[in-house]
Amino acid sequence: MPNRMALTSSPSTSQGSTLAFTALLGAGIAVGFSPILARVSDLAPLASGFYRLAFAVVAIWLAIRLSGGELQPFGAMTRGDRIRMVLAGIAFAADIAFWHLAIAHTTVLEATLLASTVPIIVTVASVFFFGEKIKPLFVIGLAVALAGVVTLALQRTGALAMPPDRLLGGVYAVMAASFYAAYLLLITKVRRNSSTGTIMLTTTLVSALAILPFAWALSPTMESGSLNGWLILIALAVVSHAGGQGMMTFALAHLPTSFSSMMGLMQTAVAAVVAWLILSEPLTLMMLASGAAILAGIWICRRATTV
């Protein structure tokens, strides 16, 4: 069956689509802070990734309880959804592991640039495996956004500033993108039958359990050396994961998977601005123009899903 979330002209559907688009933009901003927070964490990449997930489990559970939301019992799901939920959690754990390793081995922007290949992976998979129909306008928007991402990266990575592990970091970033694409495709199927809270809590718990053995075995320590270190990990969990991924999961119920994956492109622009503000990295007029191209591409893709 085609994975096409067609939008009707009814007011309720239109409002839901608008809210989902707003949530998607919020997700891009929230997740855009994750590479900065991961970079300034005083723990090893896998340890930071574990605490990001573990603290997020608590944050998500509290948010559901305080908002009066309901959790769907795991046993009440269909067998197919249970399998997809577990696989999605494992895929996200792999994404977090490789993503944090990428941030540690290359520049923030280069890692986010390569991770921005998610829309390409998701779009190709959606077309060939799920029958999602992509309009030519979407392809144009994707090309414009990717051009902005590439231009932005070229403005910030030069031969004089190449990190020593750039190639390895790039490989890690592409691996992260591949696993995140798998995560998106899996939860898109589950999202039709389960709430945002149920999906977020279950997949995050599975992810935390999946990454824990590797973090424990490969990290020099599992304890941050300061209060600020713990606060950074909590912010990573609450803002980037519970907030950002939560809004992303909500958007998947109302927008096509291929369009929702564009959030990764916006993340690149946000990461560049935040790195400029917090890490004092340069931000030129050309970089701002590149960011504008990314947003323009996202807008074009948005138009392609509503016309």
Side-chain angles (χ1 to χ4, degrees):
M1 178 180 294
N3 180 27
R4 187 181 184 183
M5 302 176 190
L7 299 178
T8 67
S9 59
S10 64
S12 59
T13 303
S14 178
Q15 291 174 1
S17 177
T18 301
L19 183 59
F21 180 64
T22 303
L24 190 64
L25 293 179
I29 295 172
V31 177
F33 281 87
S34 64
I36 311 301
L37 294 171
R39 171 61 64 81
V40 299
S41 172
D42 61 357
L43 290 181
L46 294 184
S48 296
F50 165 72
Y51 283 117
R52 168 182 178 163
L53 295 166
F55 289 159
V57 170
V58 178
I60 294 167
W61 183 84
L62 286 175
I64 294 171
R65 291 303 180 190
L66 293 175
S67 65
E70 295 184 359
L71 289 172
Q72 181 183 5
F74 190 72
M77 301 178 190
T78 65
R79 182 174 180 273
D81 279 354
R82 290 198 300 268
I83 293 174
R84 293 186 190 96
M85 197 85 80
V86 172
L87 290 177
I90 294 173
F92 194 80
D95 162 54
I96 291 297
F98 283 115
W99 172 241
H100 281 248
L101 287 169
I103 292 299
H105 286 82
T106 188
T107 63
V108 167
L109 188 72
E110 193 154 273
T112 54
L113 165 68
L114 294 173
S116 294
T117 56
V118 169
I120 300 175
I121 299 171
V122 170
T123 300
V124 172
S126 296
V127 171
F128 287 99
F129 295 105
F130 300 105
E132 185 174 293
K133 297 181 180 179
I134 303 299
K135 297 180 180 180
L137 186 60
F138 182 93
V139 178
I140 294 174
L142 180 61
V144 171
L146 285 176
V149 169
V150 172
T151 304
L152 182 61
L154 291 177
Q155 294 298 315
R156 295 174 61 85
T157 54
L160 298 178
M162 294 297 180
D165 295 327
R166 183 187 182 194
L167 178 60
L168 181 60
V171 172
Y172 285 148
V174 173
M175 292 295 293
S178 300
F179 280 110
Y180 188 68
Y183 165 79
L184 285 181
L185 293 169
L186 286 165
I187 64 170
T188 297
K189 289 287 187 179
V190 180
R191 186 64 184 90
R192 297 173 177 176
N193 305 315
S194 300
S195 66
T196 299
T198 297
I199 294 174
M200 285 298 298
L201 185 63
T202 305
T203 57
T204 304
L205 179 59
V206 171
S207 297
L209 295 175
I211 201 174
L212 176 58
F214 299 96
W216 186 273
L218 301 176
S219 302
T221 179
M222 292 293 289
E223 296 184 12
S224 177
S226 67
L227 176 60
N228 284 340
W230 288 114
L231 292 177
I232 288 171
L233 294 172
I234 292 174
L236 191 59
V238 175
V239 176
S240 296
H241 189 86
Q245 295 301 330
M247 286 186 283
M248 178 69 175
T249 303
F250 170 79
L252 283 172
H254 305 277
L255 299 171
T257 312
S258 52
F259 176 72
S260 298
S261 64
M262 295 290 291
M263 181 270 290
L265 297 179
M266 185 176 180
Q267 173 190 347
T268 304
V270 172
V273 174
V274 176
W276 171 61
L277 293 173
I278 297 179
L279 302 180
S280 299
E281 296 184 359
L283 188 61
T284 66
L285 182 61
M286 181 60 72
M287 295 174 192
L288 293 175
S290 300
I294 294 173
L295 295 178
I298 293 175
W299 181 82
I300 294 172
C301 288
R302 166 64 176 163
R303 292 288 298 172
T305 64
T306 58
V307 298

